[in-house]
Amino acid sequence: MSATDDRDVLAPDRGTIMSAEMAEQPAVLRRILAEGAPSIRAVAAEIAARNPRFVLLTARGTSDNAALYAKYLIEVLLGKPAGLTSMSTTTAYGAEPDLRDCLVITVSQSGGSPDLVASTEAARKAGAITLAVTNNADSALAAVSEFHIDVLAGPEKALPATKTYTAELLALYLFVEGLRGGDTSPADLLPALARDVLDRRDEVAELAQRYRFAQRLVITSRGYGYPTAREAALKIMETSYIPAQPFSGADLLHGPLAMVDNVSPVIAVVPDGKGGDALQPVLERLRGRGADLMVIGNADQVGRASAGFVLPEGVAEEVQPILEIIPLQLLAYEVTMARGLDPDAPRALAKVTETR
């Protein structure tokens, strides 16, 4: 009996939890729009009245990629400077920055990581407006923050985060639009479109066969798509253990492109809009090097690649990441299953990390 067959016998239900939680995403998105949006807008209005001059975002892992997405939203839609914090400067080094008139947003699925709690406490002590975005209203992080947004994803049991990630993205989008009193109608179609993407699972399962024996992957994008590339790489690494390296398209051209050849698989997330336009020179270089290129994007971009997944059209660029990640979550799942592993319980991972 092969090792793969042995795993199948030992774990006949492997992957069922992650699979079920990915399938919940349309319902979660619908819940946020119907039940969460009013309270998110109310929190945004209170914070907007205090007119923070800049924003810092704090997170780990998957939530760090959601925070990066929020950074793009804040800088593009609000015109405010935004940055990702280095928590160790306060939790390990004891730094005491002046955070008056600063909004500190801490994003965490569990809200239980001690370093996130300590960092948020330090930020509030330093004069910051503090906002926790979590999937647990009763968490320690929510308790120490001045404001809280519940992403309403429900319990997530699989170690790889899926539904909490897209829930965080939508909650952060609604919050940022709320800060400027903007129109959130571009999000209204997301639940139905997410269901349409999930219903094309067989397409992803076929694509997954390309990467079953891959030794490494490169994932690239620009603009709003870059957090998607980072999250996709994380999902693939933590489930299938394939080294997946995410690069901004601009960074890929500054040296790492040299490691790409005709046997090095590359996945490109190509948004419709300015991010996708900025990625075109990178795609030309990749095609010129004969790269095995898979594109997540529109039909034209997919048609010019070795393979790909066509995303729904007519979606505003700032909310496309909520759909872009779903076929890549499915890809991570299908590759992992094809390799005889269990995506529900990757080795050496835990839901709540304890770092300083």
Side-chain angles (χ1 to χ4, degrees), residues 216-220 243-247 252 256 259-260 264-268:
R216 69 181 184 193
L217 290 171
V218 170
I219 308 180
T220 188
Q245 297 174 283
F247 292 99
L252 186 61
M259 70 181 180
V260 176
S264 301
V266 179
I267 299 173

Side-chain angles (χ1 to χ4, degrees), residues 28 30 63 74 80 94 127 129 153 156 169 183 197 203 206 213-215 219 260-261 299 306 326 338:
V28 172
R30 193 172 295 111
S63 294
I74 292 161
K80 289 183 181 289
I129 305 165
E156 189 170 56
L169 296 187
D183 176 19
V197 172
E203 292 180 43
E206 184 175 346
F213 301 108
Q215 297 300 306
I219 308 180
V260 176
D261 54 30
S306 307
I326 295 176

Side-chain angles (χ1 to χ4, degrees), residues 5 12-13 43 50 65 104 111 117 150 164 179 193 239 289 315 331 337 345 354:
D5 292 338
D13 297 325
V43 168
R50 292 164 66 172
N65 298 324
V104 172
V117 174
D150 188 342
T164 53
L179 286 176
L193 294 177
T239 55
R289 293 184 66 85
V315 180
L331 183 69
M337 294 293 286
E354 298 188 14

Side-chain angles (χ1 to χ4, degrees), residues 199-263:
D199 286 345
R200 295 163 59 196
R201 187 167 182 164
D202 288 348
E203 292 180 43
V204 180
E206 184 175 346
L207 289 171
Q209 296 306 311
R210 302 173 64 89
Y211 307 112
R212 181 176 181 179
F213 301 108
Q215 297 300 306
R216 69 181 184 193
L217 290 171
V218 170
I219 308 180
T220 188
S221 189
R222 291 203 68 181
Y224 286 116
Y226 179 47
T228 304
R230 289 172 56 95
E231 174 62 11
L234 177 61
K235 283 291 152 290
I236 290 168
M237 287 190 288
E238 70 184 359
T239 55
S240 70
Y241 318 135
I242 297 172
Q245 297 174 283
F247 292 99
S248 158
D251 289 335
L252 186 61
L253 292 181
H254 285 80
L257 186 69
M259 70 181 180
V260 176
D261 54 30
N262 60 2
V263 295

Side-chain angles (χ1 to χ4, degrees), residues 7-315:
R7 288 191 189 96
D8 288 338
V9 170
L10 292 175
D13 297 325
R14 64 190 176 92
T16 55
I17 301 174
M18 183 179 176
S19 179
E21 289 176 351
M22 287 189 293
E24 289 179 39
Q25 289 176 104
V28 172
L29 297 176
R30 193 172 295 111
R31 186 183 310 133
I32 295 169
L33 291 170
E35 302 174 20
S39 61
I40 293 173
R41 186 167 286 271
V43 168
E46 283 194 63
I47 292 174
R50 292 164 66 172
N51 194 27
R53 57 192 172 91
F54 64 98
V55 182
L56 289 174
L57 296 128
T58 305
R60 296 284 194 201
T62 283
S63 294
D64 198 36
N65 298 324
L68 180 59
Y69 165 72
K71 181 179 186 294
Y72 277 91
L73 290 173
I74 292 161
E75 293 182 342
V76 174
L77 300 182
L78 303 182
K80 289 183 181 289
L84 303 176
T85 61
S86 300
M87 279 177 281
S88 61
T89 60
T90 54
T91 60
Y93 290 91
E96 297 180 355
D98 180 358
L99 296 178
R100 288 172 294 178
D101 301 322
C102 174
L103 170 61
V104 172
I105 304 173
T106 306
V107 188
S108 170
Q109 181 264 326
S110 69
S113 298
D115 59 337
L116 295 176
V117 174
S119 178
T120 301
E121 286 181 312
R124 192 167 182 181
K125 183 179 178 182
I129 305 165
T130 52
L131 167 65
V133 178
T134 80
N135 192 40
N136 183 1
D138 297 322
S139 64
L141 180 59
V144 301
S145 299
E146 185 176 358
F147 297 97
H148 177 253
I149 288 174
D150 188 342
V151 303
L152 301 175
E156 189 170 56
K157 297 179 181 178
L159 287 176
T162 54
K163 64 178 182 174
T164 53
Y165 179 68
T166 48
E168 287 173 350
L169 296 187
L170 179 55
L172 288 163
Y173 167 73
L174 295 174
F175 172 71
V176 173
E177 284 288 6
L179 286 176
R180 67 172 187 164
D183 176 19
T184 60
S185 62
D188 292 345
L189 294 177
L190 291 175
L193 294 177
R195 172 50 56 200
D196 291 345
V197 172
L198 285 162
D199 286 345
R200 295 163 59 196
R201 187 167 182 164
D202 288 348
E203 292 180 43
V204 180
E206 184 175 346
L207 289 171
Q209 296 306 311
R210 302 173 64 89
Y211 307 112
R212 181 176 181 179
F213 301 108
Q215 297 300 306
R216 69 181 184 193
L217 290 171
V218 170
I219 308 180
T220 188
S221 189
R222 291 203 68 181
Y224 286 116
Y226 179 47
T228 304
R230 289 172 56 95
E231 174 62 11
L234 177 61
K235 283 291 152 290
I236 290 168
M237 287 190 288
E238 70 184 359
T239 55
S240 70
Y241 318 135
I242 297 172
Q245 297 174 283
F247 292 99
S248 158
D251 289 335
L252 186 61
L253 292 181
H254 285 80
L257 186 69
M259 70 181 180
V260 176
D261 54 30
N262 60 2
V263 295
S264 301
V266 179
I267 299 173
V269 180
V270 188
D272 274 341
K274 294 179 180 178
D277 292 344
L279 193 63
Q280 292 310 307
V282 183
L283 298 176
E284 291 295 336
R285 291 285 297 278
L286 289 169
R287 286 190 286 261
R289 293 184 66 85
D292 179 352
L293 177 63
M294 184 179 103
V295 164
I296 308 295
N298 64 38
D300 177 63
Q301 295 295 334
V302 170
R304 301 174 65 195
S306 307
F309 186 95
V310 177
L311 291 171
E313 296 182 356
V315 180

